[in-house]
Amino acid sequence: MWVEVKGVLINLSQVVAVYYSDHDENFKPGNYLIFQTHGCIEFADEVVPAVKSVEFESKGEAMAELERIKSLIFGESSL
């Protein structure tokens, strides 16, 4: 299932974790949802899960979107 998050299309079937962070993977401060996917990025000595960060105006906005996405992934009963 594809879902749009702040103009970014994300395939929820590829998402293994989603969480709020006060910085992105490049350590820029902000309000982010971090999507960790099944895809991996290979480095010389390690393979790490691919991540996608989406920035929000506020922590509250990010947390509201996190709840919406969790309900899409896990269903209403998990909230």
Side-chain angles (χ1 to χ4, degrees):
M1 173 197 316
W2 290 88
V3 65
E4 184 179 330
V5 181
K6 294 288 284 188
V8 177
L9 277 177
I10 294 173
N11 187 345
L12 291 184
S13 66
Q14 292 290 309
V15 172
V16 295
V18 57
Y19 54 92
Y20 171 79
S21 179
D22 60 3
H23 60 274
D24 72 356
E25 68 269 20
N26 297 312
F27 303 105
K28 290 186 298 197
N31 297 290
Y32 294 92
L33 288 188
I34 310 296
F35 293 84
Q36 186 171 315
T37 71
H38 288 294
C40 291
I41 301 169
E42 294 187 35
F43 291 96
D45 57 350
E46 64 179 337
V47 176
V48 299
V51 297
K52 176 77 176 171
S53 61
V54 180
E55 187 173 13
F56 291 83
E57 295 295 320
S58 67
K59 181 177 181 178
E61 183 186 7
M63 295 304 285
E65 188 69 354
L66 178 60
E67 289 303 315
R68 180 179 80 95
I69 291 160
K70 282 168 44 180
S71 71
L72 289 173
I73 295 174
F74 304 113
E76 298 295 330
S77 61
S78 71
L79 295 178

